[in-house]
DNA sequence: CAGTACGTACAGTTTTTTCTGTACGTACAG
DNA sequence: CTGTACGTACAGAAAAAACTGTACGTACTG
């Protein structure tokens, strides 16, 4: 009966490393651990089962699951006759990557672009004023230039995210075909 | 003399939003603010100047700069006759994006791949044992399958990062040409 | 070869974040 | 309609992270 432990060890190793590196997705170690654990479950899980499995409070499970739902790394599952909410891990890693960009990066991009455009307007008006020293205008022009470069980059980044969402990226960088 | 404030306001707005969203790069708000501030400096800055500008301790500036150096978002600059270390922001946003993946994601990938391969070996040996119930073997096979999928994804992700580092990505998703 | 300027290791403090337990609203069951 | 099961808001406790000041090692200066 040592085979079960061997399986457990193999899983635990993966869960650990996944949890550690999920900070790239902006989540904590615990949330990463939850995801890793769900990943190996055959059946969808309830909050109480997660609580049991990870030895944490139900409240934590509730908020962690919500975070993972927002990232679309976890899906809510409906099952006839079961009152408790059920959750399962999204096991398509490509899709997780895509959603992460579509959700987090996309919104950061639009925030940044919005504010930069506001500042661009302000700087342009500054440059066009008559009562401003030449020296200051030069600074403003230099800033304008920097912002334009940033906006070009964000334009590119948006097109990159587009290519993820449309899966076009996989024509450019093909998925490895499963043997 | 209100033009200077207009410039300052325009800069501050951008610095704020950049600082907020730099958590995508895994850095804190303060570090993001430091980067944003450096971005608008015409000349490289010393730790003391940063400390002055941001009203923080020199120790903080030292560690924050180190973080930004590791991400290659800031470069050390040598200037004849100046004893203090000088730093300037890397202003190529594309390059920042590329370096982030080349540094952070690449190392997460290899860690994950390493551990997953270890677990794969273990699971394979489990499946090939004679003294293990069929049921357990099925679980192991299911895990093996999951890990293989993950490894395929990491293979793809590595190729994606390759295409960033080689700049090949820009043939696929072209930069916006500055007008 | 002092003396000074600089950057950072380290320990302690403050702030922020994470985690927990309780309490409550909702919904279903009998 | 009452009772029970469930998920989560919220407040407080625990843990982690960020920040600071001091102290020290190194390297340049005169």
């Amino acid at each position: 009966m040592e085979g079960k432990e061997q399986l457990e060890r193999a899983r635990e190793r993966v869960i650990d490393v996944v949890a550690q590196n999920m900070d790239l997705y902006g989540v904590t170690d615990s949330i990463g651990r939850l995801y890793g654990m769900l990943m190996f479950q055959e059946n969808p899980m309830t909050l109480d089962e997660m609580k049991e499995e990870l030895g944490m409070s139900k409240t934590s499970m509730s908020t962690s699951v919500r975070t993972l739902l927002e990232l679309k790394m976890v899906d809510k599952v409906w099952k006839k006759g079961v009152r408790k909410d059920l959750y399962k891990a999204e096991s398509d890693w490509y899709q997780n990557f895509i959603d992460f960009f579509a959700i987090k990066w996309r919104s950061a991009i639009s925030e940044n672009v919005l504010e930069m455009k506001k500042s661009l307007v302000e700087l342009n008006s500054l440059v066009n004023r008559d009562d401003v020293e030449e020296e200051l205008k030069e600074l403003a022009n230099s800033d304008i230039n920097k912002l334009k470069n940033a906006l070009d980059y964000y334009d590119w980044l948006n097109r990159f995210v587009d290519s993820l969402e449309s899966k076009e990226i996989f024509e450019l960088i093909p998925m490895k075909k499963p043997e």
Side-chain angles (χ1 to χ4, degrees), chain A residues 122-138:
Chain A
E122 194 158 24
L123 291 169
N124 277 321
S125 98
L126 185 62
V127 167
N128 290 328
R129 279 169 54 179
D130 295 330
D131 61 335
V132 168
E133 315 93 68
E134 208 51 40
E135 206 184 340
L136 198 59
K137 288 191 179 180
E138 270 173 42

Side-chain angles (χ1 to χ4, degrees), chain A residues 2 10 19 27-28 30 36 50 58 61 74 79 83-84 89 99 102 110 112 115 126 131 141 149 158 160 173:
Chain A
E2 179 251 306
V27 302
T28 61
S30 321
M50 296 175 203
K58 195 173 176 180
M61 296 303 96
V74 153
K79 202 172 163 188
R83 275 178 66 186
K84 300 189 181 190
D99 288 332
S110 41
N112 284 11
E115 301 302 318
L126 185 62
D131 61 335
N141 271 319
N149 282 337
N158 261 324
F160 165 65
I173 301 164

Side-chain angles (χ1 to χ4, degrees), chain A residues 134-177:
Chain A
E134 208 51 40
E135 206 184 340
L136 198 59
K137 288 191 179 180
E138 270 173 42
L139 285 177
N141 271 319
S142 159
D143 287 4
I144 287 172
N145 203 38
K146 284 170 186 164
L147 292 182
K148 280 187 176 164
N149 282 337
L151 288 175
D152 280 349
Y153 160 73
Y154 284 121
D155 182 82
W156 176 84
L157 197 52
N158 261 324
R159 282 179 285 122
F160 165 65
V161 181
D162 288 344
S163 82
L164 288 175
E165 286 200 286
S166 69
K167 314 269 171 107
E168 219 180 319
I169 189 80
F170 298 116
E171 290 167 29
L172 310 176
I173 301 164
M175 285 183 182
K176 197 170 187 179
K177 49 214 159 269

Side-chain angles (χ1 to χ4, degrees), chain A residues 12 26 33 48 58 76 78 94 98 109 124-125 155 162 170 176:
Chain A
E12 208 59 53
R33 170 155 281 102
D48 284 309
K58 195 173 176 180
K76 201 165 184 170
W78 185 83
Y94 296 101
I98 293 170
I109 295 169
N124 277 321
S125 98
D155 182 82
D162 288 344
F170 298 116
K176 197 170 187 179

Side-chain angles (χ1 to χ4, degrees), chain A residues 69 74-78 85-88:
Chain A
L69 281 171
V74 153
D75 297 320
K76 201 165 184 170
V77 174
W78 185 83
D85 295 350
L86 292 167
Y87 302 97
K88 74 171 191 14

Side-chain angles (χ1 to χ4, degrees), chain A residues 70 72 95-110 158 160-162 164-165:
Chain A
E70 280 162 10
K72 297 197 183 175
Q95 196 59 48
N96 288 338
F97 184 78
I98 293 170
D99 288 332
F100 175 57
F101 276 88
I103 295 165
K104 293 284 185 177
W105 283 75
R106 191 76 95 177
S107 76
I109 295 169
S110 41
N158 261 324
F160 165 65
V161 181
D162 288 344
L164 288 175
E165 286 200 286

